[in-house]
Amino acid sequence: MKHTPIKAALQCRDFGSTLTVAGWVRTRRDSKAGLSFVELNDGSSTRNLQIVAPKELPNYQSQVQKLYPGCAITVTGSLVESPAAGQAVELHAREVTLLGECDPMKYPLSKGRISFERLREVAHLRPRTNTFGCVARVRNCLAMATHRFFQERGFYYFNAPIFTASDCEGAGEMFQVTTLDLNNPPKNPETGKVDFQQDFFGKAVNLTVSGQLEAETHACALGSVYTFGPTFRAEKSNTTRHLSEFWMIEPEIAFADLQDDADVAEDYLRALFTAVVQECPEELDFFDQRIEKGLKERLVRLSTAKFARITYDEAIQLLEKNADAFEFKPYWGADLQSEHERHLAEKVFNGPVTVMNYPKEIKAFYMRQNDDGKTVAAMDVLLPEVGEIIGGSQREERLDLLEARIRELGMEPENYWWYLDLRRFGSVPHSGFGLGFERMVRFCTGMANIRDVIPFPRAPREIEF
């Protein structure tokens, strides 16, 4: 049987028409007139559809009057104009079918307000709440807008591997994957160390922290590509801004320099903000009223914003003018802290800003070295309220300089032989960037904790589901 989404039913004005809806009961109240009023929600809207169930229904006493929050039902009835304030329509039921019972004494989603901390403990049920239903719909909107943006610009969707033997960022904070018996791992008799040649892959393997290096292989063959998949970092940062498993969007743009990279990044952000504003007005109203005042206005403004562009040198000069205002004093050669990034976006430019050409000592090995010998062609895109939202760079396409940089950092060129091959065989300038998807969802919803914008958060000592 085809069901009408409750969001569509609430917008319908074809009074007298017959509709069938399905969902979960939010509330039920009974009147002395022999009617029950059931608030029904199916996850398509923050608003409930009121069901008016008369006592003449054959299962009125046996089932309708025992509908508690959480029960799943289908209802067939007539759509009528509602006489009640605050709702335009209601459904007068001719048939109510109970699909799934719910014990009110055990159901953890009571009618009262529940803290986000408590909802994380019942993450399998929290999408039924208004807040997390809104989060899920905004997340879906941003995901679809991501694919639409890159597909319309001729990018190919690339699936990066989850298992890798390469450390893209060189930070070493990676999750190791093994099938060896951890209680009795095989040892190399000469070194006394674990013999990974006996492991499943025949070498030490980790979960990926980035799909960038692999994406470059296809950018250097097909043109421009983008990844959109999970990445993993074993960073023991138990904060509201960090996750151990999170999703990354990483476009790789062939025949492109740093300016091209910034152009795509800025256009992409505007496209995301535009999509949320246009496609999720109900959700933004909810977040604006309940979570963060001014959120909707900020996203509307950013959807058409012009991004300022400055160099790292200029950023440091601007920050040093207010050095006493910061916990971490800015100086040339230091990475920008969140307080510095927000100061630039919120105080200096009052809008988004792209900072370019960072010191090479604080950036990854694959970034293109500038002619000054001190900086690399890297960029960060900064937004008000959050700081860095995108990090990117032009990749080093010159074999000799890339290999020298790898050795300089104490890494083994042999581990990157295939990556270096891209520079040996038809090397081209190319650029790319990365955006942490959950950070974007958090920015567009105003949610304070990043663990509340992913269905099942993975963080230190947090993997219940």
Side-chain angles (χ1 to χ4, degrees), residues 436-458:
F437 189 55
E438 282 71 30
R439 289 193 176 185
M440 175 54 66
V441 178
R442 183 180 177 222
F443 183 78
C444 290
T445 60
M447 297 295 284
N449 196 317
I450 200 167
R451 300 180 196 192
D452 294 329
V453 297
I454 191 170
F456 296 103
R458 301 294 185 240

Side-chain angles (χ1 to χ4, degrees), residues 122-152:
V122 289
H124 58 304
L125 296 174
R126 68 178 182 172
R128 299 187 187 187
T129 67
N130 272 341
T131 298
F132 289 92
C134 284
V135 168
R137 291 190 291 273
V138 168
R139 185 182 176 101
N140 174 74
C141 172
L142 290 169
M144 294 305 295
T146 292
H147 286 295
R148 188 165 61 238
F149 175 85
F150 290 112
Q151 290 291 325
E152 290 176 352

Side-chain angles (χ1 to χ4, degrees), residues 145 201 266 292 332 376:
F201 290 106
E266 294 167 6
E292 183 183 351
W332 201 97
V376 290

Side-chain angles (χ1 to χ4, degrees), residues 63-221:
Q63 291 184 331
V64 172
Q65 287 192 309
K66 296 179 181 179
L67 293 177
Y68 300 107
C71 288
I73 62 174
T74 62
V75 182
T76 298
S78 299
L79 188 74
V80 302
E81 188 172 5
S82 177
Q87 58 188 35
V89 300
E90 59 189 27
L91 192 68
H92 285 195
R94 296 196 298 268
E95 181 181 348
V96 175
T97 302
L98 176 63
L99 300 177
E101 297 180 349
C102 186
D103 186 341
M105 302 305 294
K106 297 180 180 179
Y107 189 50
L109 302 183
S110 62
K111 187 178 178 180
R113 184 179 293 272
I114 308 173
S115 71
F116 291 157
E117 290 77 10
R118 167 59 181 149
L119 286 172
R120 271 178 233 131
E121 297 174 1
V122 289
H124 58 304
L125 296 174
R126 68 178 182 172
R128 299 187 187 187
T129 67
N130 272 341
T131 298
F132 289 92
C134 284
V135 168
R137 291 190 291 273
V138 168
R139 185 182 176 101
N140 174 74
C141 172
L142 290 169
M144 294 305 295
T146 292
H147 286 295
R148 188 165 61 238
F149 175 85
F150 290 112
Q151 290 291 325
E152 290 176 352
R153 285 157 181 77
F155 285 67
Y156 293 100
Y157 180 34
F158 171 76
N159 299 116
I162 298 297
F163 296 143
T164 180
S166 304
D167 183 355
C168 178
E169 301 298 329
E173 295 173 325
M174 305 177 75
F175 286 100
Q176 190 167 355
V177 179
T178 181
T179 59
L180 296 177
D181 181 357
L182 297 182
N183 294 315
N184 186 30
K187 298 291 184 69
N188 184 307
E190 296 181 3
T191 65
K193 296 182 178 180
V194 175
D195 185 4
F196 285 106
Q197 288 187 345
Q198 298 187 45
D199 206 348
F200 186 89
F201 290 106
K203 60 170 62 178
V205 170
N206 304 288
L207 295 179
T208 185
V209 299
S210 169
Q212 175 208 311
L213 301 189
E214 291 85 357
E216 288 186 49
T217 66
H218 279 55
C220 292

Side-chain angles (χ1 to χ4, degrees), residues 212-213 216 250-253 256 261 366-369 377 391-398 402 419 423 428-434:
Q212 175 208 311
L213 301 189
E216 288 186 49
E250 295 178 291
E252 203 64 35
I253 314 161
D261 200 29
Y366 52 75
M367 298 185 178
R368 193 182 200 277
Q369 299 178 51
S393 70
Q394 183 175 345
R395 317 312 190 189
E396 181 58 81
E397 84 278 11
R398 298 164 294 185
L402 178 58
Y419 189 68
R423 280 73 181 169
V428 298
H430 56 288
S431 301
F433 60 83

